[in-house]
Amino acid sequence: KLGQWPAFFYVVVLWLSIITAAIGNGFSLTTRIVNKRNISYRKAAIGILLCVIPLAAIKFSSIVNFVYPIFGYIGLVFFPILIYSWLKS
């Protein structure tokens, strides 16, 4: 309803935020692997990219439909444990 330019601006900002988040997460994961495994940064980055690129073909909605219920079930397991430990202390 706002028009084409605001919608285009919103899409550009959204894509840039996704890209910067992916770069930051990739950098931190690569750095962590380099520090833990004592391998070169290039090998770690290439290994991560080779593992992640096939996941890029999966639709985001499919990931959400799969991952969100899993976290819900994990929460159902941990919630009673947290309540029990809180009541015990």
Side-chain angles (χ1 to χ4, degrees), residues 55-70:
L55 296 176
I58 301 173
K59 289 183 179 179
F60 182 73
S61 60
S62 299
I63 294 171
V64 169
N65 285 334
F66 179 73
V67 173
Y68 275 22
I70 288 175

Side-chain angles (χ1 to χ4, degrees), residues 35-82:
N35 291 337
K36 294 279 184 182
R37 300 288 180 199
N38 232 3
I39 62 175
S40 73
Y41 189 85
R42 179 180 289 250
K43 287 181 183 178
I46 290 172
I48 290 170
L49 284 174
L50 289 176
C51 292
V52 172
I53 286 175
L55 296 176
I58 301 173
K59 289 183 179 179
F60 182 73
S61 60
S62 299
I63 294 171
V64 169
N65 285 334
F66 179 73
V67 173
Y68 275 22
I70 288 175
F71 278 106
Y73 295 135
I74 291 171
L76 288 175
V77 171
F78 280 109
F79 188 66
I81 295 169
L82 290 172

